[in-house]
Amino acid sequence: EDQVTQSPEALRLQEGESSSLNCSYTVSGLRGLFWYRQDPGKGPEFLFTLYSAGEEKEKERLKATLTKKESFLHITAPKPEDSATYLCAVQAYSGAGSYQLTFGKGTKLSVIP
Amino acid sequence: GAVVSQHPSWVICKSGTSVKIECRSLDFQATTMFWYRQFPKQSLMLMATSNEGSKATYEQGVEKDKFLINHASLTLSTLTVTSAHPEDSSFYICSARALDRQNSPLHFGNGTRLTVT
């Protein structure tokens, strides 16, 4: 069974204090790891897709990296507007031409001014 | 690009009534759309896969007669919660892929907060 574990569950940072969020996964045949940002009462907003170990993607203050067992979302000099829940999801082939997407529970990030 | 619109954003209904939620892809066509449910502090749980022109595929434990899905066109899928009960209160979110490739990212609607009283 595919599993996705995100840590920490919640993270409070001072504005400008860099940190990393972790997404550990166990999956057979990874076909992509996705990072999303979710604001309260909203649907997830797509951030990154990573496909293979060693791959990195960047967008403004965010940088996502991938190894064979986990992914990190690095946040450099965060601002209050970066406060949100960050979701990690892994996609694997589930047979018969279909793919299964499994989400973690997310890390709730709060950036204090 | 890749905008998914969901309506309504919130709804309150009485126990025993039915509620319909619409999901539209605004700038692309989607042969497949996905319906998720999210409880507080929990991850998104896939309920069903909506296929244009054919029957939806439901995940284990999801009652297909309770959660009716219709995918009438390449840009519209609807989820109807029939005979709603308080335990059906949740955040329902739809999603779709902008490109017809399995490994392209899902784009989500803004969700519908359903409260059953």
Side-chain angles (χ1 to χ4, degrees):
Chain A
E1 183 181 332
D2 299 340
Q3 289 190 331
V4 181
T5 304
Q6 290 189 247
S7 61
E9 189 174 312
L11 180 63
R12 285 171 61 92
L13 299 174
Q14 291 292 324
E15 184 172 1
E17 179 187 1
S18 301
S19 188
S20 296
L21 313 182
N22 178 263
C23 172
S24 298
Y25 63 91
T26 55
V27 63
S28 298
L30 181 71
R31 291 292 185 272
L33 183 142
F34 304 90
W35 281 99
Y36 288 86
R37 168 192 171 128
Q38 186 175 25
D39 291 298
K42 301 290 185 182
E45 175 189 346
F46 170 71
L47 294 174
F48 303 110
T49 307
L50 302 167
Y51 292 108
S52 57
E55 190 175 357
E56 298 182 352
K57 295 275 180 72
E58 283 190 70
K59 180 181 179 181
E60 297 181 353
R61 295 177 292 282
L62 300 176
K63 178 180 177 180
T65 62
L66 180 66
T67 72
K68 288 185 177 180
K69 294 182 179 180
E70 58 191 348
S71 175
F72 291 94
L73 185 65
H74 307 277
I75 302 177
T76 303
K79 298 181 178 181
E81 52 262 42
D82 295 323
S83 297
T85 295
Y86 290 86
L87 300 171
C88 169
V90 296
Q91 180 163 269
Y93 185 64
S94 58
S98 63
Y99 290 77
Q100 184 77 30
L101 191 66
T102 304
F103 280 86
K105 292 184 179 181
T107 293
K108 183 177 181 180
L109 174 66
S110 301
V111 182
I112 313 303
Chain B
V3 176
V4 177
S5 174
Q6 196 170 334
H7 179 81
S9 56
W10 60 270
V11 59
I12 302 173
C13 70
K14 291 186 176 180
S15 187
T17 62
S18 296
V19 173
K20 179 185 283 188
I21 303 170
E22 290 189 350
C23 179
R24 294 180 185 273
S25 55
L26 296 187
D27 52 359
F28 65 97
Q29 294 182 331
T31 55
T32 305
M33 291 185 176
F34 304 88
W35 287 95
Y36 287 83
R37 182 165 53 184
Q38 186 178 34
F39 291 104
K41 296 186 179 181
Q42 299 297 314
S43 62
L44 278 77
M45 297 301 296
L46 179 65
M47 297 176 65
T49 301
S50 172
N51 304 297
E52 189 269 336
S54 64
K55 291 182 179 180
T57 305
Y58 291 82
E59 295 301 302
Q60 193 171 14
V62 178
E63 300 175 57
K64 62 180 181 180
D65 294 330
K66 181 170 187 61
F67 298 100
L68 301 179
I69 290 174
N70 184 276
H71 196 147
S73 75
L74 288 172
T75 59
L76 173 64
S77 175
T78 60
L79 169 68
T80 301
V81 183
T82 62
S83 187
H85 291 284
E87 56 265 32
D88 298 324
S89 298
S90 188
F91 192 52
Y92 293 85
I93 315 175
C94 70
S95 67
R97 287 192 171 88
L99 299 174
D100 195 18
R101 291 202 307 261
Q102 291 283 6
N103 59 356
S104 63
L106 286 177
H107 294 273
F108 289 83
N110 268 333
T112 297
R113 172 72 59 193
L114 170 63
T115 302
V116 184
T117 61

